[in-house]
Amino acid sequence: TRWETLNFNRNDCALETLWSSSDECVFTRRLNVLALVRLDVSYNRLASINCLRSDFVPLLTEIHAACNQISSVNLHLPRLSILNLTANRLIMFPDLSGACNMQRLYLRRNRIGDNPGSCQLV
């Protein structure tokens, strides 16, 4: 089965990681995600989503990761256009240099403004 949408929103298991013990993204080993367009992992306990790379999920355009424990983001997903990181633990603006199609970015309820220099764009 090829997955276009995966929804782990309010998952009973409360995902804590997207990594497996063998240093690879859990989804790529267990699911055929090459056609994945939308991923919703909101309301879990994730500390990172940085394992999501274009070689694993080349068509991914939406990530919804609100209400997790994410403290930094560094994504290189050229097709990504929507990223929801509302209510996480971000103190710095996410590195989205590899997300050239970004149209909507949600960062409410983070601590970006609490960190001097955190909103500097280069």
Side-chain angles (χ1 to χ4, degrees):
T1 303
R2 296 188 84 179
W3 296 89
E4 289 187 16
T5 299
L6 284 178
N7 186 350
F8 289 95
N9 184 337
R10 297 184 190 268
N11 185 16
D12 289 336
C13 298
L15 291 173
E16 292 182 6
T17 185
L18 295 179
W19 288 97
S20 72
S21 58
S22 60
D23 277 349
E24 66 178 290
C25 200
V26 170
F27 298 130
T28 61
R29 188 164 50 106
R30 297 194 174 121
L31 301 170
N32 182 356
V33 293
L34 290 175
L36 188 65
V37 175
R38 184 178 191 276
L39 176 64
D40 190 341
V41 290
S42 299
Y43 298 95
N44 282 283
R45 287 184 275 195
L46 295 174
S48 177
I49 57 172
N50 292 338
C51 73
L52 298 171
R53 301 189 325 239
S54 60
D55 52 337
F56 295 147
V57 284
L59 303 179
L60 193 61
T61 61
E62 290 184 38
I63 299 174
H64 299 273
C67 301
N68 278 286
Q69 299 172 4
I70 298 167
S71 58
S72 67
V73 174
N74 183 352
L75 294 173
H76 297 280
L77 297 165
R79 293 178 182 249
L80 190 64
S81 61
I82 298 171
L83 178 58
N84 185 347
L85 295 169
T86 299
N88 275 284
R89 296 181 177 178
L90 296 172
I91 59 169
M92 302 212 41
F93 196 81
D95 180 356
L96 300 173
S97 57
C100 52
N101 284 319
M102 186 61 60
Q103 295 175 11
R104 286 184 264 168
L105 176 62
Y106 300 95
L107 297 173
R108 290 176 298 143
R109 295 180 37 215
N110 279 285
R111 295 186 164 200
I112 294 173
D114 294 348
N115 183 20
S118 65
C119 293
Q120 294 177 357
L121 298 177
V122 289

